[in-house]
């Protein structure tokens, strides 16, 4: 299968592209290599993908529509997996324009591409952040998402709505998936696990918000990749709903949670890092951050109904795998 994947130098895009290449697919990767975090880490991810002869990359921003269309027309993808975005809840308070340009304009261009090339399936990444301050747990795909608490969440929710309109107007089978706190090797330096490990190995205090009274539905990256691979070959069709479905009544469009379905309290998560590193954390407790939420919790029943799959990697396994990767990548010896 010929697959166009945006964000292949990113954390999730890299893992997904590597899996699909290993499965024998042709992958065209597009990434802007933005300096939001260490570009060398992104380059190293791409270097690993380039070991596969079926991988081809382009480096440009999705806002560059003529360049995007030219690359896509040459490749003729059968499916598009749109992962590229400006990520981060807290950074959206500091630099909102980056989110509008990347997440809205970039996504619009991908939708135009999918329309022109008549792809068999469009898959795009959303986020659990769209649930905002929803206090009804677990989060279900059919819950209201009209009250985002961050600009990041607002742009992702808007991307879902844009994709639905395109799906309806041009009959594009579309799956939007909401990720729940993905972590694992090659993760982003701005995410909690990376920051905690880095600080603890340096003997520095870690910043912990809301007094540590927070919970996250941590999802190991390999589990997420498995879910997306299974969804790739299960495009939605009009009028074929399943139990507790989010399938649109007027379009071949569906939104799906991808989460482990077992929230972990932040202090317990830090305890797993301490065990994996053999280092005791020091704490710098801080108030709740603007745009953040206290807890996330995925209802994964729709994913399981559609694919027969449920993410299940234990936190202890995933955290240990990340810590091993970090030590190896940055040359930090075990003490």
């Amino acid at each position: 299968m010929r697959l166009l994947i945006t964000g292949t130098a990113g954390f999730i895009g890299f893992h997904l592209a590597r899996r699909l290449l290993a499965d024998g697919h042709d992958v065209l990767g597009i990434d802007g290599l933005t300096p939001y975090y260490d570009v060398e880490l992104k380059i190293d991810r791409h270097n690993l993908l380039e070991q596969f002869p079926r991988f081809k990359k382009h480096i440009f921003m999705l806002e560059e529509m003529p360049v995007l269309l030219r690359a896509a027309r040459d490749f003729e993808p059968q499916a598009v997996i749109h992962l590229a975005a400006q990520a981060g809840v807290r950074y959206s308070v500091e630099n909102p324009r980056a989110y509008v340009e990347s997440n809205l304009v970039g996504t619009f261009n991908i939708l135009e591409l999918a329309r022109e090339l008549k792809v068999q399936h469009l898959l795009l990444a959303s986020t659990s952040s769209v649930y905002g301050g929803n206090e009804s747990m677990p989060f279900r795909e059919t819950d209201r998402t009209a009250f985002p608490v961050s600009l990041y969440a607002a742009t992702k929710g808007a991307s879902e709505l844009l994709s639905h309109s395109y799906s309806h107007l041009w009959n594009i089978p579309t799956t939007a998936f909401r990720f729940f706190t993905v972590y694992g090797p090659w993760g982003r330096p701005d995410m909690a696990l990376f920051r905690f490990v880095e600080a603890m190995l340096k003997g520095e205090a870690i910043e912990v918000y809301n007094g540590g009274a927070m919970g996250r539905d941590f999802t190991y990256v390999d589990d997420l990749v498995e879910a997306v691979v299974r969804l790739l070959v299960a495009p939605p069709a009009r009028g074929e709903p399943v139990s507790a479905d989010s399938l649109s009544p007027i379009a071949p469009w569906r939104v799906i949670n991808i989460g482990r379905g077992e929230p972990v309290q932040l202090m317990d998560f830090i305890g797993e890092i301490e065990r994996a590193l053999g280092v005791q954390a020091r704490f710098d407790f801080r108030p709740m951050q603007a745009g953040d939420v206290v807890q996330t919790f995925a209802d994964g029943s729709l994913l399981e109904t559609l694919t027969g799959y449920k993410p299940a990697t234990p936190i202890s396994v995933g955290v240990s795998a990340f810590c091993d990767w970090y030590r190896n990548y940055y040359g930090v010896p075990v003490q």
Side-chain angles (χ1 to χ4, degrees), residues 163-178:
S163 72
H164 179 270
S165 66
Y166 267 69
S167 176
H168 167 62
L169 291 169
W170 288 286
N171 198 38
I172 304 170
T174 302
T175 300
F177 26 71
R178 294 171 179 164

Side-chain angles (χ1 to χ4, degrees), residues 154-210:
T155 60
K156 283 298 192 176
S159 294
E160 291 182 10
L161 294 175
L162 287 170
S163 72
H164 179 270
S165 66
Y166 267 69
S167 176
H168 167 62
L169 291 169
W170 288 286
N171 198 38
I172 304 170
T174 302
T175 300
F177 26 71
R178 294 171 179 164
F179 296 159
F180 281 71
T181 316
V182 187
Y183 74 103
W186 293 97
R188 295 200 329 256
D190 65 315
M191 297 190 73
L193 176 56
F194 198 114
R195 291 188 294 106
F196 290 166
V197 168
E198 183 177 45
M200 289 166 65
L201 287 174
K202 292 179 179 179
E204 299 172 352
I206 61 175
E207 296 179 0
V208 177
Y209 297 97
N210 201 40

Side-chain angles (χ1 to χ4, degrees), residues 27-195:
V27 173
L28 174 65
I30 296 174
D31 202 289
L33 295 184
T34 61
Y36 170 61
Y37 63 82
D38 183 12
V39 174
E40 289 302 315
L41 180 60
K42 299 180 180 184
I43 291 172
D44 286 344
R45 294 180 185 132
H46 256 180
N47 287 341
L48 287 176
L49 294 180
E50 288 185 293
Q51 296 177 11
F52 292 89
R54 291 179 177 270
F55 178 71
K56 182 179 181 181
K57 73 177 183 184
H58 284 292
I59 307 300
F60 59 80
M61 300 297 289
L62 295 181
E63 297 92 306
E64 302 174 53
M65 186 59 172
V67 183
L68 173 62
L69 274 179
R70 187 161 55 247
R73 286 167 179 159
D74 290 344
F75 184 67
E76 297 182 331
Q78 296 165 284
V80 173
I81 306 175
H82 177 40
L83 302 173
Q86 177 58 59
V89 169
R90 291 166 189 153
Y91 186 62
S92 68
V93 178
E94 303 171 24
N95 188 10
R97 184 173 297 277
Y99 291 77
V100 173
E101 292 172 349
S102 295
N103 300 0
L104 295 182
V105 177
T107 297
F108 168 73
N109 287 345
I110 288 294
L111 294 172
E112 279 287 280
L113 179 157
R115 177 185 64 83
E116 177 176 315
L117 299 184
K118 298 179 172 59
V119 298
Q120 298 171 17
H121 194 183
L122 170 63
L123 302 95
L124 68 157
S126 187
T127 171
S128 61
S129 295
V130 299
Y131 291 108
N134 189 347
E135 296 182 354
S136 176
M137 301 282 175
F139 297 153
R140 295 176 175 83
E141 292 88 348
T142 52
D143 289 346
R144 281 194 80 185
T145 57
F147 304 108
V149 297
S150 70
L151 182 66
Y152 168 63
T155 60
K156 283 298 192 176
S159 294
E160 291 182 10
L161 294 175
L162 287 170
S163 72
H164 179 270
S165 66
Y166 267 69
S167 176
H168 167 62
L169 291 169
W170 288 286
N171 198 38
I172 304 170
T174 302
T175 300
F177 26 71
R178 294 171 179 164
F179 296 159
F180 281 71
T181 316
V182 187
Y183 74 103
W186 293 97
R188 295 200 329 256
D190 65 315
M191 297 190 73
L193 176 56
F194 198 114
R195 291 188 294 106

